[in-house]
Every structure is written in C-alpha cells, then in structure tokens.
C-alpha cells in the first residue's frame, strides 16, 4: 500500500469525525472528558468480546471450515451485544452523574442528555473506527489473505468508507439509544441493536463489498434522519442551520430536557 493510498483512506475514514471533534468537542473540556470516557467504555467492551472470542476459539480448537464460520457469527453477535450493554451502562453512569450535579448545585446548568448522547456516540465511533482501520492496515502488511473473502482489490478503499459509516452510525445509535432510554421506548433500543448486528454482519455475509457499502450507507442515512428528529430537529431548524442562522440547536443548547 502506497503512502498516497494510506493517507487517502485515513482521510476518508476519519476526516469527518475529526471535523466533528474540532467544531463540537475540542473547545469544551467537559465534552472532551465525556468523549474519552465513552471511548474507554468501548475499549472495555472490546476487551470482554476478545476474551469471549478467545474462550470460544480454545473450546473449538480453532478449527477451519464451517466451525470457523459459525464461530465468526457468534463472535459478531456477542461483540455487538456487549457494546450495546456498555452503551447502556454509560448512559446510566451519565444519568446518575447529571442527577448528582443537580443535587449538589441546583443553580448550575448541567449538560443535556442529548448532548451527552452525541458526545458518547462520537467516543464510541472514533475508538471503533481506529481499531477497524488498524486491523485493515495489518492486512496490508501480510502474510495472509486480505479481507475475509480475499478476492477484492478494492478492499482497502471499501474498508475506509465502512470505517466512516461505523463512526457516524455510532453517533446516531448513541442519540437514538439515549433517547429511547430517557423515554422508555425499548423498541428504539431494539432497532439500534438489530441495525448494529446487520451492519456488522454485512462484512462477512457477502463478498460483494460494493453492495455492502450501499446497504450500510442506506442504514446510516435512515438512522441519521431518525437521530436528527429525536435530537429536536425539524425542517425549520434544518433550514436555519444550513443558512447558519440557528445558534440554539442541540450542541449550542446546554439546557437539560
């Protein structure tokens, strides 16, 4: 892999996420703390998933063929469930922290759960994207088969776009998930888990990476629209935002719901 391809893939994967960090997170120390905490929670979920994968692989003796395929499916299922369990745990932690801040100093304005959902989702997404991209780069060094199916010369560029999708999806998932917890709409949590499972499974269900990208981007757009309206958006606020006339929407509003 040439340096140009490497930096091109890195820009595709992390350019928008870096821009979101600079314009919405970097200027607020409290948001940075929540972002790092969210990334830490995702790291812990990865550690537990890796432990389960290691145990399952040891039990099966790392056999090839159908056993390995079923083991991969099991690993994806467990990984997604653990990630979403830690997302719920992080929500509960932030909820308790907000309640504690209000009890200690009622006059102090605390961050809204909408804002915390966005920041935590970005933390989950960035850390997930970093590990996804590192794994892709390790494939480029070899030895071994590039990609799961080993038959696509565009594997790296597809992986870069998929990494971007995962980062943005984690943001949207976080917003929808937190809102579902706040309003006790458990069907929203179920949709988050199911779409997370679907996007994760697409990477090994089909060797057609182009089709997988189209499906993943479709899910991303739908979840993004849902997250936008869940976060308090409307056609009017979207118009004001595009015209740079809205200064009191989502990230600029620190009022609690």
């Amino acid at each position: 892999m040439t340096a140009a391809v490497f930096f091109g893939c890195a820009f595709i994967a992390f350019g928008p996420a870096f821009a979101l960090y600079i314009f919405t997170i970097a200027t607020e120390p409290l948001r940075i703390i929540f972002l790092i905490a969210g990334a830490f929670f995702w790291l812990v979920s990865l550690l537990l998933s890796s432990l389960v994968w290691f145990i399952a692989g040891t039990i099966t003796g790392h056999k090839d063929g159908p056993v390995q395929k079923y083991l991969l499916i099991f690993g994806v299922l467990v990984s997604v469930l653990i990630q979403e369990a830690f997302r719920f745990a992080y929500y509960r932690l932030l909820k308790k922290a907000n309640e504690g801040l209000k009890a200690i100093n009622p006059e102090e304005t605390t961050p809204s759960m909408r804002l915390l959902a966005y920041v935590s989702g970005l933390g989950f997404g960035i850390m997930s994207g970093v590990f996804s991209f590192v794994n892709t780069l390790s494939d480029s060094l070899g030895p071994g088969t590039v990609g799961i199916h080993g038959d696509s010369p565009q594997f790296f560029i597809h992986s870069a776009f998929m990494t971007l999708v995962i980062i943005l999806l984690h943001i949207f998932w976080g917003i929808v998930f937190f809102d579902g917890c706040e309003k006790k709409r458990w069907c929203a949590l179920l949709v988050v888990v199911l779409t997370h499972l679907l996007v994760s499974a697409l990477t090994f269900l089909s060797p057609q990476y182009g089709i997988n990208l189209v499906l993943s981007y479709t899910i991303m757009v739908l979840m993004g629209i849902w997250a936008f309206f869940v976060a308090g958006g409307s056609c009017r606020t979207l118009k004001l935002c595009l015209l740079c006339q809205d200064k009191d929407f989502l990230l600029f509003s620190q009022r609690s719901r």
Side-chain angles (χ1 to χ4, degrees):
M1 175 182 275
T2 64
V5 174
F6 168 76
F7 286 111
C9 290
F11 178 78
I12 291 172
F14 295 104
F18 183 72
L20 287 174
Y21 171 78
I22 292 296
F23 291 109
T24 62
I25 304 295
T27 58
E28 297 290 338
L30 190 60
R31 297 179 191 176
I32 296 176
I33 294 173
F34 289 140
L35 179 79
I36 295 174
F40 173 76
F41 268 70
W42 189 89
L43 280 174
V44 176
S45 73
L46 176 68
L47 176 62
L48 291 180
S49 301
S50 301
L51 180 61
V52 173
W53 174 264
F54 174 77
I55 294 174
T58 303
I59 294 174
T60 58
H62 300 283
K63 296 179 181 178
D64 296 328
V67 175
Q68 191 66 23
K69 179 181 179 179
Y70 294 135
L71 185 62
L72 184 60
I73 296 174
F74 171 76
V76 170
L77 174 63
V78 171
S79 177
V80 169
L81 293 179
I82 291 178
Q83 287 181 52
E84 296 305 329
F86 271 82
R87 196 192 305 274
F88 180 75
Y90 192 42
Y91 160 78
R92 294 297 302 169
L93 177 65
L94 293 177
K95 185 74 172 176
K96 290 294 183 181
N98 250 0
E99 293 174 355
L101 289 174
K102 289 180 181 179
I104 295 174
N105 192 354
E107 298 180 358
E108 184 70 21
T109 302
T110 58
S112 68
M113 289 305 297
R114 289 173 178 172
L115 173 61
L116 296 177
Y118 164 77
V119 176
S120 66
L122 185 58
F124 269 59
I126 289 178
M127 190 54 62
S128 175
V130 168
F131 269 81
S132 175
F133 201 65
V134 167
N135 289 334
T136 301
L137 292 180
S138 67
D139 281 344
S140 68
L141 301 177
T145 302
V146 175
I148 294 176
H149 303 282
D151 55 358
S152 176
Q154 291 83 32
F155 173 72
F156 297 107
I157 190 70
H158 287 155
S159 296
F161 279 107
M162 184 59 73
T163 299
L164 173 60
V165 170
I166 291 297
I167 294 173
L168 295 178
L169 271 174
H170 268 294
I171 298 174
F172 303 148
W173 284 331
I175 295 173
V176 173
F177 191 96
F178 275 42
D179 182 76
C181 292
E182 284 284 285
K183 298 178 180 178
K184 299 187 185 305
R185 294 177 179 172
W186 309 122
C187 59
L189 276 63
L190 180 61
V191 172
V192 170
V193 173
L194 291 179
T195 52
H196 195 169
L197 280 171
L198 178 58
V199 172
S200 300
L202 284 175
T203 57
F204 65 85
L205 287 179
S206 171
Q208 302 297 326
Y209 292 110
I211 297 176
N212 294 342
L213 275 180
V214 172
L215 292 175
S216 298
Y217 269 83
T218 301
I219 294 173
M220 182 194 73
V221 171
L222 294 176
M223 290 300 302
I225 294 173
W226 188 3
F228 174 75
F229 287 104
V230 158
S234 64
C235 294
R236 175 182 173 276
T237 55
L238 179 60
K239 179 181 178 180
L240 292 175
C241 182
L242 293 176
L243 295 175
C244 300
Q245 297 176 353
D246 188 5
K247 296 182 180 180
D248 191 34
F249 175 68
L250 187 58
L251 295 178
F252 296 96
S253 177
Q254 296 298 312
R255 294 170 299 180
S256 301
R257 282 193 298 182

